[in-house]
Amino acid sequence: NRRAVEAARQAHDGAVGGVAGTPGAATLRRRPWVAPREPEDMESPLPSVAILVFCQLVQMFMSYDGGATPASIDKIQDQNPAIHWSQAELGLLGSLDKFGMTISSVLWGRALQVVPAKLLMVLGLGVNAATTFTFGNVPVKALMFVSKFLMGMTQGLQCVWGTCWVLTHAPIDSRTVWLGLGAISAGVGNGIGTAVAGFGTSQGLPYAFAWQVE
C-alpha cells in the first residue's frame, strides 16, 4: 500500500510539473496531496456489532441448560416413578453436555476449515433446539442422555466459531473486551437457567417447565 501511494504521489507531481508553462501552473503546484482512503476506513462497524450481539444471545441461549439441569435434578428423578435413576446416572446426565462440548471442540475446529460456517451454524442451532425440546418433553432415559450430549456438542460449535469470528473481525483495541463478552454471556445464560428452573421446581412445576421456557 505504501508503494502504491508513493507511486501515485510521484505521478501527481509529474503531472503538475508537466504543465509549468500554463497560466494555472502555480495554482496546480499549490494543490495539496491527498492520499487515497483505505477501503477498511470506509466500512461501517454496525454489521460487526450486530453479529457480536447475536453471538452473545446465542451463547446465553446455549448456556441456559447448564444451569437448569442441576436445579431440576430432584424433579427429573421424581417425575416418572417407573424410571429408576441412580445417583451415578443423574451425575452423568448433568455432565454429558460438558463432555460433548470438550470432545467436539477439536472436531469443530477442523470442520470449520472445510465446511461453510453458515451451514454449520444453522445445523447447530437446529439440532440444539430439537434436542432441547426432546430433553424437556420426552422423559426417556436413553433419549435424555443423547440429547444432553448433542446439546453440548452444538455449544462447542458456537464457542469455537465465536472465538474465531472475534479474532478475525474485532477491532484490535477492543478484541480482548469482545472475547470476554462471550464468557459473560455464558455465565448470564447459566444463571438465568438456574433461576428459572429453581423457581419452577419450587412452585411444584415439572422439570420440563425450564426447557419449555427456553
Side-chain angles (χ1 to χ4, degrees):
N1 289 340
R2 291 181 178 178
R3 292 180 178 177
V5 170
E6 185 63 27
R9 184 196 299 273
Q10 293 174 0
H12 174 271
D13 294 342
V16 172
V19 292
T22 62
T27 303
L28 289 173
R29 289 195 183 94
R30 288 195 299 269
R31 183 179 299 171
W33 164 256
V34 179
R37 295 179 63 188
E38 295 292 336
E40 57 268 22
D41 295 339
M42 297 182 285
E43 292 181 357
S44 172
L46 292 179
S48 295
V49 174
I51 296 176
L52 176 65
V53 172
F54 171 77
C55 290
Q56 305 319 308
L57 293 176
V58 172
Q59 187 67 55
M60 291 175 59
F61 165 77
M62 289 192 169
S63 301
Y64 176 97
D65 68 276
T69 302
S72 305
I73 286 294
D74 56 339
K75 285 293 182 180
I76 292 176
Q77 190 171 19
D78 300 335
Q79 184 76 30
N80 192 343
I83 302 177
H84 173 71
W85 290 90
S86 66
Q87 294 299 316
E89 288 174 334
L90 290 174
L92 179 62
L93 184 68
S95 61
L96 269 177
D97 57 329
K98 305 303 184 293
F99 282 119
M101 186 185 303
T102 303
I103 295 172
S104 66
S105 294
V106 178
L107 303 178
W108 290 131
R110 179 56 182 167
L112 285 168
Q113 296 177 349
V114 297
V115 181
K118 184 182 294 186
L119 175 61
L120 287 179
M121 291 299 295
V122 171
L123 291 177
L125 290 174
V127 171
N128 187 275
T131 52
T132 298
F133 177 84
T134 301
F135 184 86
N137 295 278
V138 184
V140 176
K141 189 181 295 187
L143 288 178
M144 294 177 72
F145 280 136
V146 173
S147 297
K148 205 73 168 73
F149 185 79
L150 291 177
M151 289 159 69
M153 289 190 67
T154 54
Q155 291 171 18
L157 171 60
Q158 169 62 25
C159 292
V160 173
W161 179 84
T163 301
C164 294
W165 184 88
V166 169
L167 291 175
T168 303
H169 295 88
I172 296 178
D173 56 346
S174 304
R175 187 171 296 169
T176 304
V177 176
W178 285 29
L179 286 172
L181 288 176
I184 294 174
S185 299
V188 171
N190 197 289
I192 293 175
T194 303
V196 172
F199 172 80
T201 55
S202 67
Q203 299 300 314
L205 297 173
Y207 86 95
F209 167 75
W211 281 267
Q212 292 169 351
V213 170
E214 185 182 10

